[in-house]
């Protein structure tokens, strides 16, 4: 429009010089008419865009209300945080968990929910997890002025934009006090069960006979369950620890042997009749059988790998779930296994296992300490 006005101005000046001003008026009306039409089209486009913006805003508002409703009605406690770790939003489960109103939590630093002596360590852990170094849940002791301190499991969720900047941070809090009390009571019942019975001890690499009319229950140590093939090769069928039952009725193999792996293994005997009359004992046996079943499926996944290196890697991951204990560099296998035992479990030779373990060490996937314990790096 500015360009057209400027053109009309120049043409008007030229027309006045040659004294033909009457010819400029129709041109001006024509230009104004064209401009008016273009303005009407632009207004229609702006009105259409305005309607689209209003509709988009309504949709965004509906989605915001929907997600806010989901946030409020979530079964676990959720707390949203800003970049300085101040609380920006809490759901109903969080207010019930800490027995207070939202107003008492909003815009407060998250560390007010942590005992004073543990706040520094808690901030360092939050910072480390926000940087993406660890996304697993971790256990923390929390408290509120309106209730007693309690044990909780926290999970940190961090959302980032395309440039890696933090958009939002949310903390999920689960109270595990009841779970811990139930586990403590269960452990007490188990200790009472173990404490009143005679324990049978076996040394390392000793074969344990299976009683035909009762079952063994492991109280301490680890044992290896295996069978033999036609060419006298050993096949690992499982590794059993505390609380796992052993008896002939739990296997259909004609050759089945139980060999101790720990320096000392302690077991107690339980008759089948006693199991039928003790609900706690039956539950304990059922849990042990369930662990045996899950472990057997994991070992089957090892045998399904074609390459020896894949079988060994899968076996180490299986052993990680069975024998693993968390350390600073990863997960350490609490039981020391020989290269021959690893070879039997992964259907390969001892020489191959030695070579593959050396390669895994060079690749930084595992480390082996002075006591020959394997640590699987994260």
């Amino acid at each position: 429009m500015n360009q057209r006005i400027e053109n009309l101005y120049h043409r008007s000046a030229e027309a006045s010089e040659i004294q033909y001003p009457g010819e400029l008026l129709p041109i001006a009306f024509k230009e104004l008419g064209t401009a008016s039409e273009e303005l009407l089209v632009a207004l229609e486009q702006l009105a259409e865009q305005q309607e689209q913006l209003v509709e988009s805003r309504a949709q965004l508002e509906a989605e915001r209300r929907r997600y806010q409703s989901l946030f409020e009605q979530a079964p676990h406690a959720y707390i949203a945080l800003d970049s300085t770790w101040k609380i920006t939003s809490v759901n109903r489960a969080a207010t019930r968990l800490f027995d207070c109103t939202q107003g008492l939590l909003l815009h407060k630093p998250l560390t007010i929910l942590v005992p004073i002596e543990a706040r520094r360590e808690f901030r360092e852990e939050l910072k480390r997890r926000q940087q993406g170094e660890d996304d697993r849940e971790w256990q923390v002791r929390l408290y509120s002025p309106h209730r007693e301190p309690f044990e909780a499991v926290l999970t940190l969720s961090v959302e980032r934009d395309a440039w890696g900047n933090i958009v939002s941070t949310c903390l999920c809090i689960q109270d595990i006090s009841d779970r811990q009390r139930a586990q403590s009571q269960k452990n007490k019942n188990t200790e009472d069960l173990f404490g009143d019975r005679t324990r049978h001890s076996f040394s390392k690499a000793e074969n344990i006979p299976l009683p035909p009319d009762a079952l063994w229950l492991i109280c301490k140590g680890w044992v290896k369950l295996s069978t033999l093939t036609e060419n006298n090769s050993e096949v690992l069928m499982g590794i059993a620890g505390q609380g796992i039952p052993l008896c002939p009725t739990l296997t259909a193999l004609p050759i089945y042997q139980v060999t101790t792996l720990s320096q000392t293994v302690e077991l107690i005997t339980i008759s089948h009749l006693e199991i039928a009359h003790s609900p706690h004992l039956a539950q304990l046996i059922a849990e042990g059988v369930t662990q045996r079943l899950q472990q057997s499926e994991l070992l089957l996944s090892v045998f399904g790998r074609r390459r020896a290196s894949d079988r060994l890697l899968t076996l180490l991951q299986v052993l990680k779930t069975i024998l693993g204990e968390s350390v600073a560099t990863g997960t350490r296998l609490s039981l020391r296994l020989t290269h021959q035992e690893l070879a039997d479990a992964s259907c390969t030779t001892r020489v191959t296992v030695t070579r593959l373990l050396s390669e895994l060490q060079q690749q930084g996937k595992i480390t082996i300490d002075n006591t020959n314990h394997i640590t699987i790096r994260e």
Side-chain angles (χ1 to χ4, degrees):
M1 292 299 296
N2 288 334
Q3 184 64 38
R4 289 183 175 182
I5 291 173
E6 186 178 356
N7 291 337
L8 285 173
Y9 175 78
H10 289 302
R11 294 178 68 177
S12 174
E14 294 172 358
S16 61
E17 291 177 359
I18 59 177
Q19 297 180 355
Y20 291 117
E23 297 180 0
L24 185 63
L25 190 59
I27 298 175
F29 279 125
K30 182 178 180 181
E31 288 290 337
L32 289 174
T34 304
S36 177
E37 291 178 0
E38 291 183 353
L39 284 174
L40 288 174
V41 172
L43 286 173
E44 291 177 358
Q45 292 175 347
L46 287 174
E48 183 179 353
Q49 291 175 2
Q50 178 70 12
E51 291 178 359
Q52 293 175 353
L53 287 174
V54 171
E55 184 179 354
S56 298
R57 181 174 180 178
Q59 292 177 353
L60 289 174
E61 183 63 23
E63 290 182 4
R64 188 195 68 80
R65 288 195 299 268
R66 181 166 64 251
Y67 285 114
Q68 183 67 26
S69 177
L70 292 173
F71 178 78
E72 289 291 339
Q73 299 176 10
H76 298 307
Y78 282 93
I79 293 179
L81 309 169
D82 62 12
S83 58
T84 61
W85 302 111
K86 287 187 177 180
I87 300 173
T88 59
S89 181
V90 294
N91 65 350
R92 297 172 186 171
T95 58
R96 290 195 299 267
L97 178 63
F98 294 102
D99 193 19
C100 61
T101 61
Q102 290 187 354
L104 294 176
L105 295 176
L106 290 178
H107 311 300
K108 303 293 193 307
L110 180 64
T111 50
I112 66 169
L113 303 176
V114 181
I116 297 177
E117 63 276 8
R119 289 180 181 178
R120 180 178 179 181
E121 181 181 355
F122 180 72
R123 282 193 293 266
E124 293 176 354
E125 183 67 18
L126 276 177
K127 183 178 179 181
R128 186 176 71 85
R129 290 175 179 271
Q130 188 185 45
Q131 294 171 351
E133 297 181 9
D134 196 346
D135 58 354
R136 296 175 298 179
E137 60 184 25
W138 81 102
Q139 186 171 328
V140 178
R141 187 168 181 81
L142 301 178
Y143 89 110
S144 167
H146 304 280
R147 63 167 293 181
E148 294 293 327
F150 62 94
E151 295 295 328
V153 170
L154 308 184
T155 305
L156 189 68
S157 173
V158 180
E159 294 294 333
R160 301 177 184 273
D161 59 19
W163 296 272
N165 301 317
I166 297 176
V167 177
S168 64
T169 303
C170 191
L171 196 66
C172 176
I173 306 174
Q174 300 181 54
D175 186 359
I176 59 172
S177 302
D178 294 340
R179 188 196 313 173
Q180 285 189 329
R181 283 192 291 268
Q183 185 64 37
S184 298
Q185 184 61 40
K186 177 183 174 182
N187 294 338
K188 183 179 181 302
N189 295 337
T190 303
E191 290 175 1
D192 294 341
L193 175 66
F194 289 169
D196 296 338
R197 299 174 183 271
T198 302
R199 299 196 178 194
H200 304 268
S201 297
F202 296 87
S203 302
K204 187 174 182 179
E206 188 176 354
N207 288 331
I208 301 176
L210 297 178
D213 55 347
L215 59 80
W216 290 114
L217 194 62
I218 302 175
C219 302
K220 177 184 177 182
W222 294 92
V223 300
K224 175 178 63 175
L225 314 176
S226 60
T227 187
L228 297 176
T229 62
E230 293 81 358
N231 56 3
N232 211 30
S233 299
E234 189 176 21
V235 179
L236 180 69
M237 305 305 297
I239 296 176
Q242 181 178 358
I244 303 298
L246 307 169
C247 68
T249 56
L250 293 178
T251 180
L253 296 171
I255 301 176
Y256 192 76
Q257 61 183 15
V258 181
T259 309
T260 57
L261 292 174
S262 304
Q263 293 295 334
T264 302
V265 175
E266 297 180 356
L267 304 96
I268 59 173
T269 56
I270 301 175
S271 65
H272 298 298
L273 183 62
E274 185 178 1
I275 296 173
H277 291 84
S278 173
H280 173 68
L281 194 54
Q283 181 183 2
L284 185 65
I285 300 300
E287 292 176 356
V289 172
T290 301
Q291 291 183 33
R292 286 272 307 275
L293 177 61
Q294 293 172 346
Q295 191 183 115
S296 298
E297 291 183 348
L298 290 174
L299 289 173
L300 283 175
S301 68
V302 175
F303 303 142
R305 304 283 181 173
R306 294 188 177 184
R307 298 171 54 187
S309 58
D310 293 338
R311 289 199 299 274
L312 180 60
L313 257 180
T314 306
L315 175 65
L316 292 176
Q317 293 297 326
V318 171
L319 295 176
K320 174 182 170 181
T321 63
I322 301 171
L323 307 171
E325 53 184 18
S326 295
V327 293
T329 57
T331 304
R332 179 177 181 267
L333 301 185
S334 59
L335 191 64
R336 185 179 62 187
L337 298 173
T338 66
H339 289 193
Q340 185 60 55
E341 289 170 337
L342 292 174
D344 294 336
S346 56
C347 297
T348 186
T349 63
R350 182 182 59 81
V351 176
T352 301
V353 166
T354 302
R355 175 178 59 81
L356 293 175
L357 288 176
S358 178
E359 292 178 359
L360 291 175
Q361 278 185 284
Q362 294 175 1
Q363 296 169 6
K365 294 182 179 180
I366 66 170
T367 57
I368 301 177
D369 58 21
N370 297 331
T371 59
N372 290 328
H373 283 80
I374 298 175
T375 298
I376 303 169
R377 301 181 65 87
E378 297 299 337

